[in-house]
């Protein structure tokens, strides 16, 4: 029996510029697979979500919280066994990366997942400026994607509309930050909810 | 060898109206004791901290975050094995409870600890209005404290100044929310940092 087909997928929303989104991205598929689940990844633009919900990035809130958050990003990464180097440009615009993700997803969802991992690692391991379309194209090209085709696609009205729709759907689903995970209607916010996610997947309730 | 005497104490700041502060209050002493540490408890007024740092309570932020937080308070309590009933009055003023704590601490620090536990449980288990001086006096009286003496103390300029000083010191120490824990200069914010606190106490680093 293929249990993966019988259980509903997990939804995982994140912004590519979210450190805790990156941390959870390195764990969520493995944890889900252990319990026969697949994960649907949804990159979004947190700036639009914050505008809609009246919030702000952790590092642009008060100084005490900003300093703590910067420290906690690295510490939480070490605690979870994930490499992390805080990017010199932060936060940064992620619409090119998110658009590339959705365009790739239309071609090959496995490739889109590889691109998402590569993009997160480009930012949080190799300190690359993923806001630049050139960087996004470099990352995709290394995965075998035709650079010119993707460059044209990133400017298409369809892919811009697709990303806008995904952000709207996220807000409708209750997403107010990154990472945000929905399993069987149960919401989990933050990479630090991973133990509770595992507990939910094991027991199906709380 | 009494290791407790050799290791610096842990500082634990909280507001009595903070659900995650309550959750951590049920665990922090036990975790600390396992590693030969004592904990200094510091009730503060988060309203003043938020004013100074430009923040707001979780349930008074946007609707999506408020709904999620309400759900997460109870779920996190179940996950940690702690009884929790969300109070009908929330958030609520805690200056009477905090002043009583500091006055009792001046008499008997063990009694102050018992009072802090009883106050948290009165709010989060028995749904009592701990903003009321009468409730605070009831709680203290049950612990053998003279009701009239404490009633007078709660109105004294000295105890009001003491609480004000404690809040100022917390802000100076970098506290921006509740619970906030400082161990050997390392800060941990939130009840969900308990696994990292344990890791720090075990290894002395990260």
């Amino acid at each position: 029996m293929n249990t993966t087909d019988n259980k509903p997928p997990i939804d995982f929303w994140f912004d590519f510029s979210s450190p805790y989104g990156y941390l959870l991205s390195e764990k969520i598929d493995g944890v889900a697979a252990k319990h026969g689940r697949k994960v649907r990844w949804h990159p979004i633009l947190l700036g639009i979500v914050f505008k809609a919900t009246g919030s702000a990035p952790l590092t642009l809130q008060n100084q005490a919280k900003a300093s703590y958050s910067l420290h906690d990003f690295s510490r939480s990464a070490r605690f979870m066994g994930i490499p992390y180097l805080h990017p010199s440009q932060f936060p940064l615009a992620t619409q090119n990366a998110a658009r590339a993700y959705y365009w790739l997803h239309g071609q090959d969802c496995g490739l889109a997942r590889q691109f998402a991992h590569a993009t997160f690692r480009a930012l949080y391991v190799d300190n690359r400026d993923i806001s630049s379309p050139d960087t996004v194209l470099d990352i995709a090209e290394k995965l075998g994607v035709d650079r010119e085709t993707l460059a044209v696609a990133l400017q298409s009205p369809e892919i811009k509309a697709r990303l806008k729709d995904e952000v709207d759907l996220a807000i409708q689903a209750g997403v107010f930050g990154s990472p945000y995970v929905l399993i069987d209607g149960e919401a989990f916010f933050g990479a630090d909810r991973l133990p509770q996610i595992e507990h939910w997947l094991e027991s199906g309730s709380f």
Side-chain angles (χ1 to χ4, degrees), chain A residues 62-106:
Chain A
N62 63 77
Q63 189 50 50
K65 196 164 189 172
S67 305
Y68 174 82
S69 298
L70 277 179
H71 185 73
D72 189 67
F73 297 155
S74 301
R75 185 178 65 196
S76 291
R78 289 195 297 280
F79 187 66
M80 295 172 76
I82 297 168
Y84 186 90
L85 179 68
H86 193 67
S88 40
Q89 203 181 334
F90 181 86
L92 79 184
T94 56
Q95 72 272 25
N96 288 306
R99 285 175 192 156
Y101 174 88
Y102 286 115
W103 184 80
L104 290 170
H105 196 268

Side-chain angles (χ1 to χ4, degrees), chain A residues 8-186:
Chain A
I10 292 169
D11 287 295
F12 168 46
W13 286 271
F14 60 91
D15 187 310
F16 279 113
S17 89
S18 158
Y20 298 125
Y22 159 63
L23 297 185
L24 196 58
S25 80
E26 293 284 331
K27 299 287 183 184
I28 191 77
D29 285 342
V31 165
K34 263 200 275 177
H35 299 280
R37 300 279 194 130
K38 290 199 166 162
V39 184
R40 289 190 294 222
W41 289 34
H42 309 273
I44 52 169
L45 304 180
L46 216 45
I48 297 176
V49 174
F50 284 162
K51 212 173 226 176
T53 57
S55 195
L58 285 167
T59 53
L60 302 180
Q61 294 183 24
N62 63 77
Q63 189 50 50
K65 196 164 189 172
S67 305
Y68 174 82
S69 298
L70 277 179
H71 185 73
D72 189 67
F73 297 155
S74 301
R75 185 178 65 196
S76 291
R78 289 195 297 280
F79 187 66
M80 295 172 76
I82 297 168
Y84 186 90
L85 179 68
H86 193 67
S88 40
Q89 203 181 334
F90 181 86
L92 79 184
T94 56
Q95 72 272 25
N96 288 306
R99 285 175 192 156
Y101 174 88
Y102 286 115
W103 184 80
L104 290 170
H105 196 268
Q107 318 287 314
D108 175 343
C109 59
L111 182 62
R113 185 71 45 99
Q114 280 181 279
F115 170 81
H117 277 302
T119 300
F120 264 135
R121 291 167 191 164
L123 178 61
Y124 290 111
V125 179
D126 300 326
N127 194 22
R128 294 185 66 192
D129 175 11
I130 63 156
S131 71
S132 142
D134 274 345
T135 309
V136 168
L137 295 172
D138 287 349
I139 294 166
E141 199 172 24
K142 272 208 173 167
L143 297 171
V145 177
D146 183 74
R147 187 181 187 99
E148 295 313 312
T149 310
L150 179 57
V152 172
L154 289 185
Q155 295 306 318
S156 74
E158 291 77 17
I159 207 67
K160 291 179 181 179
R162 171 68 191 275
L163 177 55
K164 197 184 165 302
D165 289 348
E166 290 282 350
V167 176
D168 289 345
L169 284 169
I171 294 169
Q172 282 166 36
V175 175
F176 55 83
S178 166
Y180 189 96
V181 168
L182 203 55
I183 312 175
D184 312 330
E186 186 79 6

